């Protein structure tokens, strides 16, 4: 019980000194960046580990790009930044 009290009191004491910023609920740029990273890393790992061919992974990524481009809220710049970030993480991946 005392440990919980100390934990709560230290959190309550330190919170005002931390520069907290509100999160944007609908930050589409960050969303599409995350989608780009997630899709690309999944395809890179799958192709590098032999679960699919590199050609198949490249086709799937192209299909994602084409399908996402049809959406009005698609932020292609953020998506491509995510794709490039994932490719930088896996330099041997050639999508």
């Amino acid at each position: 019980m005392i440990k919980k009290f100390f934990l709560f009191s230290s959190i309550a004491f330190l919170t005002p000194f931390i520069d907290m910023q509100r999160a944007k609920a609908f930050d589409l740029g960050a969303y599409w960046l995350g989608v780009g990273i997630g899709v690309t890393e999944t395809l890179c790992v799958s192709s590098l580990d032999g679960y699919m061919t590199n050609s198949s992974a490249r086709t799937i990524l192209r299909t994602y790009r084409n399908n996402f481009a049809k959406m009005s809220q698609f932020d292609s710049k953020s998506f491509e930044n995510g794709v490039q970030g994932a490719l930088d993480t896996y330099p041997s991946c050639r999508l």
Side-chain angles (χ1 to χ4, degrees), residues 45-61:
V45 170
S46 297
S47 66
L48 292 174
D49 289 348
Y51 294 112
M52 69 174 61
T53 64
N54 194 32
S55 176
S56 296
R58 206 170 324 147
T59 302
I60 291 171
L61 183 59

Side-chain angles (χ1 to χ4, degrees), residues 16-85:
F17 300 108
I18 298 173
D19 184 24
M20 295 209 182
Q21 296 181 3
R22 296 184 68 180
K24 295 179 183 177
F26 297 105
D27 186 2
L28 291 177
Y31 172 78
W32 287 112
L33 179 77
V35 170
I37 291 171
V39 166
T40 308
E41 283 194 359
T42 301
L43 293 173
C44 281
V45 170
S46 297
S47 66
L48 292 174
D49 289 348
Y51 294 112
M52 69 174 61
T53 64
N54 194 32
S55 176
S56 296
R58 206 170 324 147
T59 302
I60 291 171
L61 183 59
R62 184 175 40 244
T63 303
Y64 270 114
R65 284 178 172 137
N66 292 337
N67 288 341
F68 288 152
K70 296 174 186 174
M71 300 173 63
S72 63
Q73 295 180 334
F74 178 57
D75 184 357
S76 64
K77 183 178 177 184
S78 294
F79 180 80
E80 292 302 326
N81 286 340
V83 169
Q84 190 57 50

